[in-house]
Each structure stands twice: as C-alpha cells, then as structure tokens.
C-alpha cells in the first residue's frame, strides 16, 4: 500500500507496478488516489486504514507534518507489518537531529516495523531509477532485520542498488542527505 498520491506516491506506484508488485493507493483526497492509481495501473481505496489493513508493506508517502495523523489512523492495522517512511525534515537542524522522523514514527507505531527508504531520491528518480544504465543507491535503514531485508528487495526490484544503511538511528543521517 502507498498512502499519499502526490509526486512521491505516484512515482513509487508507477515503479512498483512496473516491477510486478500489487499496489493499492490511498490519500487524504480519495479522488487523488483514484487518479494516481489509474495512471500507475494500481488500485485505490478511500481510507489509509483500508489500504494498510490489506497490505504486507505500507509506504507512507506523505509530508512529515501529516505522519502523526496517518499513524493514528493506521496504527490498529499495521501490527507486525513493515511501514516505510520516505519523508525528510523540511528544515534540518545544522547541529544534526537528535532523532529522525523515522524513529519518531516508530514511537507512534510501536507494533509496526518502521524502515527508512527512498528519501534520498527525488520523485523523478523513484519513477525512473536508472541513469545511463547505472542503478542509483537505494539506502535502507531499520531495526528489524527481516523488515529491512524485505525493503531492500523492493528497492532492488525497482532498479536501485540496495544499500543497508544500518539501524533506524541511521535515518538521522539519511534525512540530512
């Protein structure tokens, strides 16, 4: 499932369906999810909870400022599931963050397995990963080894070179990249 139908949600939906994954989109405005799904060859549902409940892996392609509300909505449906955070801080702290958005999200979704991925690539690169035949790096950080392995496989299936960036605390660095 992809929650969010903006540039990032659309780009990932396009790449994921092209790679053979079944994708369901949800967005704050259901008509945006329907339009993005139609363009990507995916399906759409009307709520984030509905999308998350039927998914093995949930990508949160929403602004960091919306993560709290989305986390509240999907929390009952993501127990034991992989939740991928693709967000970045709009104004990073020069001194370096004491925590990452992904770590904060893990705190809001304690029963999910939060993984950081895709945040170092622009949406246009997510939609078309290869550059002159070269796979760009796809950094993945997480604390659960199985969840991280699953996301590394998805990253590779899209055409990125999967890079295990370490624990979820490494998302602090990834968010600054």
């Amino acid at each position: 499932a992809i929650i969010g139908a903006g540039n990032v949600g659309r780009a990932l939906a396009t790449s994921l369906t092209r790679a053979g994954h079944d994708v369901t989109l949800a967005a704050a405005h259901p008509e945006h999810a329907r339009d993005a799904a139609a363009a990507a060859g995916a399906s759409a549902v009307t709520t984030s909870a509905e999308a998350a409940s039927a998914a093995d892996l949930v990508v949160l392609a929403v602004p960091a400022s919306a993560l709290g509300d989305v986390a509240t909505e999907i929390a009952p449906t993501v127990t034991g599931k992989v939740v991928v955070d693709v967000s970045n801080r709009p104004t990073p702290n020069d001194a370096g963050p004491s925590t990452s958005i992904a770590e904060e999200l893990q705190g809001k979704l304690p029963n999910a397995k939060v993984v950081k991925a895709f945040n170092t690539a622009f949406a246009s690169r997510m939609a078309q990963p290869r550059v002159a035949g070269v796979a760009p790096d796809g950094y993945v950080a997480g604390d659960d080894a199985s969840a991280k392995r699953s996301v590394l496989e998805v990253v590779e299936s899209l055409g990125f070179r999967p890079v295990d960036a370490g624990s979820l605390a490494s998302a602090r660095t990834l968010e600054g990249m």
Side-chain angles (χ1 to χ4, degrees), residues 27-116:
H29 302 283
E31 65 276 10
H32 294 170
R34 281 192 304 274
D35 292 346
S43 59
V45 294
T46 56
T47 70
S48 298
E50 184 181 1
S53 68
D56 296 323
L57 185 139
V58 180
V59 177
L60 301 184
V62 299
S65 59
L67 285 173
D69 290 339
V70 172
T72 298
E73 181 182 350
I74 68 169
T77 66
V78 295
T79 296
K81 293 185 181 185
V82 178
V83 175
V84 179
D85 169 36
V86 304
S87 65
N88 284 312
R89 291 198 191 278
T91 52
N93 178 344
D94 288 340
S98 61
T99 188
S100 67
I101 295 169
E103 290 169 298
E104 293 166 10
L105 182 62
Q106 182 67 79
K108 293 173 182 162
L109 298 172
N111 297 318
K113 302 168 187 176
V114 174
V115 175
K116 182 64 144 195

